Amino acid sequence: MIKLHNTKTRRKEAFVPIDDQNVRMYVCGPTVYDRAHLGNARPVVVFDVLYRLLRHVYGEGRVTYVRNFTDVDDKINAKAAETGRDIREITDETIGWYHEDMDALGALRPDHAPRATEYIPPMVAMILDLIEKGHAYEADGHVLFDVNSYDAYGALSGRKLEDMRAGERVEVADYKRDPMDFVLWKPSSGKQPGWESPWGYGRPGWHIECSAMSLDLLGESFDIHGGGLDLQFPHHENEIAQSCCANPTGDFARYWLHNEMLQVEGKKMSKSLGNFFTVRDLLDQGVPGEVIRFVLLSTHYRSPMDWTDKKMREAEKTLRKIAELLGSDPLTKPWVDLRYATPPQEFIEALANDLNTSLALTLIGKYLKNRQEFELVGALRLLGFFPEALVQTFAEVRIQTVDNSLVSGVNIQTRGAGLKTDMNSLNDLGKRLQKIRKEAMESGNFSEMDALKSALTDAGIEVRMSKESIELIPGVSFDLAKLEALK
RNA sequence: GGCGAGUUGGCGGAGUGGUGACGCAGCGGAUUGCAAAUCCGUGUACAUGAGUUCGAUUCUCAUACUCGCCUCCA
């Protein structure tokens, strides 16, 4: 039994799909004019977990997930004007980036990822229908939705039209009957993208695409509609107005899920504050996608999440421990066939309880501590972490000295193949450290050894020493350049 | 101004009408050249005031504060 918090009712409700053979979910996707920033990644990862959970519960082929690309928008036009590039070129490139970056976070691709520009005729048809039904009107080359024609307008976000008689914040176009009326279609000129329509050459307003696409791909009633909390008003309110007026026999979306916003080091992420960064920025800094995913899931989706360096380091540490356990020599472990690993019931229940990913990660921590590999692997997979990938990503180099009555020498082990670094340098350093250490232990003078050790630490390599071995583990902040300087 | 969310120990972060998770840090111990890592053990919290209740951190109301959305950025 999955329970989800429905924004529509402001309550946690038992989730009952309309058709359990085809569970349908729509999530608002990005406007494609630039790299996805970290805030964009939160809903992607949150709804990816929901998608995985639904697939787990109802069956892989029995969930349809749609996430759109908004590729008609004034921000895109501005980008085109600014760079002199073709709009299609910009949107194609950005969509490619988006896929790359979200793939790196371990997010499954939706079943459908429609582009707004592929849906112009259905949007025009829906607008015509709305005019015909008396919910929209043409004025000054625009087509506007008449919010007063829909009684439930504002129900989702808990706003009343009277309270919003704005005009205070934004200048209201004088062709609007009501300041809250929003654009369904607007005229295009010059280099602006446009299509012929009954109202002249123009382009759609922002909200209509989601109504047209969800109708086509999911029908007039579907199960879940998700997105960031910022979209609750006006975007989702407007979607509801359009869809419910155009298809009065349908429910549109039954469960509305909204994720809270993301902050960075306690402050809102914004360009003006200079704490704005993209997923690609982090990946390029060497932060594995799994670490980003882990941090994003460590806070419940309906709470504001604060992105901090500390959380990133802790997440990395935990993932490394997991990789160490999973990647260690199978001969040292009791036999487990991880191919058949399934998530424990308590783990599924945590996720089924309105996506309590924080508790889910706590459980993962428990399986790790108790070395319950079967449970661990099953849980990780459901949450979108792949054991093999973790072992690779967090590969380590272990330089082990062997020194006992039978053998004496150096044994170098590496785990995984994903380590993007110069193995030889690491090996050399490990041997050197071992040699210096041996000398130091004989002479009693540890200064040279301490110097090398702190240099390694500075370069982002964790140094672990025990009687038997020395381990060098390049971390997330590993800096190859500093390592070169040590030679 | 409108709307909404939140306030849990040093930090992060779940959860519950009645024995107050868990992680990190701290402290004590084992181990150690010293550390680290690892293992064992361990303390401190539920914004304030009032109400409901046998009993509230958990429900209700008020107050304070924080944050977000409504505005380019989700």
Side-chain angles (χ1 to χ4, degrees):
Chain A
M1 169 70 82
I2 297 176
K3 283 178 285 182
L4 298 172
H5 182 272
N6 191 349
T7 310
K8 207 158 129 185
T9 57
R10 279 149 225 280
R11 262 198 289 267
K12 211 188 272 187
E13 299 175 349
F15 175 71
V16 183
I18 297 166
D19 174 6
D20 65 7
Q21 298 300 299
N22 183 18
V23 181
R24 286 159 287 168
M25 169 163 88
Y26 186 96
V27 174
C28 291
T31 300
V32 283
Y33 68 102
D34 208 349
R35 285 272 185 193
H37 60 69
L38 195 57
N40 292 308
R42 192 175 189 198
V44 172
V45 170
V46 164
F47 291 108
D48 180 61
V49 171
L50 179 56
Y51 183 42
R52 289 173 186 274
L53 176 67
L54 292 170
R55 282 157 59 101
H56 181 82
V57 172
Y58 294 96
E60 286 204 1
R62 293 180 178 157
V63 183
T64 307
Y65 175 20
V66 178
R67 188 181 61 212
N68 66 302
F69 283 114
T70 300
D71 62 349
V72 196
D73 185 276
D74 288 346
K75 290 193 285 278
I76 303 171
N77 302 342
K79 186 93 173 182
E82 183 191 313
T83 59
R85 294 176 65 198
D86 183 60
I87 285 178
R88 182 75 188 193
E89 197 183 307
I90 292 172
T91 57
D92 282 352
E93 178 183 62
T94 311
I95 287 172
W97 286 341
Y98 189 81
H99 278 140
E100 268 174 34
D101 296 348
M102 298 308 122
D103 288 352
L105 299 183
L108 294 170
R109 301 246 181 131
D111 299 289
H112 302 279
R115 300 170 66 135
T117 50
E118 294 163 353
Y119 273 81
I120 302 295
M123 287 192 240
V124 168
M126 187 176 273
I127 296 170
L128 274 172
D129 188 30
L130 285 169
I131 293 175
E132 203 167 295
K133 287 177 171 145
H135 293 293
Y137 59 96
E138 190 182 352
D140 206 17
H142 295 66
V143 180
L144 295 143
F145 187 92
D146 177 7
V147 294
N148 289 293
S149 74
Y150 181 56
D151 286 344
Y153 190 79
L156 179 73
S157 53
R159 289 158 205 250
K160 295 188 193 107
L161 274 175
E162 306 85 73
D163 298 337
M164 293 188 291
R165 298 294 176 210
E168 294 164 23
R169 299 191 58 117
V170 197
E171 207 173 314
V172 179
D174 54 10
Y175 49 78
K176 287 187 178 181
R177 289 183 192 166
D178 187 291
M180 298 312 296
D181 287 353
F182 57 91
V183 172
L184 298 172
W185 190 265
K186 56 187 165 187
S188 293
S189 61
K191 285 188 170 177
Q192 291 171 331
W195 292 263
E196 288 304 333
S197 81
W199 320 284
Y201 186 72
R203 60 192 193 282
W206 172 33
H207 318 291
I208 193 74
E209 63 180 271
C210 293
S211 290
M213 291 172 178
S214 62
L215 177 66
D216 178 54
L217 295 166
L218 300 175
E220 60 178 31
S221 301
F222 57 94
D223 300 299
I224 296 169
H225 193 127
L229 188 61
D230 56 316
L231 296 177
Q232 187 189 34
F233 184 88
H235 183 56
H236 289 162
E237 204 69 73
N238 294 353
E239 276 186 54
I240 291 174
Q242 293 160 353
S243 291
C244 291
C245 288
N247 309 293
T249 53
D251 302 330
F252 193 38
R254 296 206 169 164
Y255 299 85
W256 285 84
L257 270 64
H258 291 100
N259 63 277
E260 252 287 2
M261 302 289 98
L262 179 135
Q263 295 170 255
V264 173
E265 303 286 353
K267 297 232 170 82
K268 174 188 161 125
M269 180 165 84
S270 72
K271 284 172 182 165
S272 54
L273 286 173
N275 60 353
F276 182 97
F277 51 92
T278 65
V279 172
R280 177 51 51 186
D281 290 336
L282 286 174
L283 293 170
D284 285 348
Q285 282 163 30
V287 180
E290 288 91 343
V291 169
I292 301 173
R293 186 179 182 92
F294 194 101
V295 174
L296 289 175
L297 294 178
S298 66
T299 297
H300 184 86
Y301 78 95
R302 281 191 292 111
S303 296
M305 124 135 293
D306 191 15
W307 179 274
T308 62
D309 263 4
K310 192 182 174 203
K311 284 182 182 171
M312 214 162 70
R313 286 193 303 273
E314 288 184 9
E316 198 227 339
K317 235 163 121 179
T318 305
L319 287 167
R320 164 153 292 129
K321 282 187 201 167
I322 291 171
E324 281 175 17
L325 173 62
L326 297 177
S328 61
D329 187 347
L331 295 177
T332 66
K333 306 187 281 205
W335 188 86
V336 276
D337 194 339
L338 298 174
R339 281 174 301 173
Y340 304 110
T342 51
Q345 191 56 32
E346 61 172 358
F347 185 81
I348 295 168
E349 278 168 14
L351 290 182
N353 185 9
D354 197 30
L355 302 181
N356 194 340
T357 52
S358 176
L359 187 60
L361 288 176
T362 298
L363 291 171
I364 282 181
K366 186 176 88 174
Y367 307 142
L368 169 65
K369 192 174 178 185
N370 299 338
R371 308 179 76 86
Q372 295 168 270
E373 284 188 73
F374 198 78
E375 288 81 356
L376 180 62
V377 165
L380 284 169
R381 284 197 191 127
L382 180 54
L383 210 50
F385 292 99
F386 285 84
E388 300 79 7
L390 287 176
V391 172
Q392 280 214 350
T393 304
F394 296 93
E396 65 179 271
V397 178
R398 176 185 299 229
I399 286 94
Q400 193 168 36
T401 61
V402 183
D403 203 358
N404 58 37
S405 54
L406 294 173
V407 266
S408 181
V410 181
N411 175 26
I412 295 164
Q413 271 180 26
T414 61
R415 294 179 192 159
L419 197 62
K420 283 172 271 174
T421 186
D422 181 352
M423 283 301 210
N424 289 332
S425 305
L426 272 184
N427 288 347
D428 289 347
L429 282 164
K431 284 182 196 165
R432 202 163 111 201
L433 184 61
Q434 187 230 342
K435 179 165 164 273
I436 293 172
R437 185 192 195 210
K438 200 175 174 189
E439 288 166 5
M441 286 174 69
E442 281 160 10
S443 67
N445 178 0
F446 295 93
S447 57
E448 192 186 350
M449 189 183 127
D450 287 339
L452 178 59
K453 208 171 63 189
S454 42
L456 286 166
T457 307
D458 281 349
I461 297 176
E462 192 184 331
V463 180
R464 292 188 197 170
M465 290 188 185
S466 69
K467 243 183 203 168
E468 305 78 30
S469 66
I470 295 173
E471 288 169 76
L472 299 182
I473 304 164
V476 160
S477 56
F478 173 57
D479 185 346
L480 187 62
K482 284 187 181 169
L483 187 63
E484 294 295 325
L486 288 177
K487 280 183 176 171

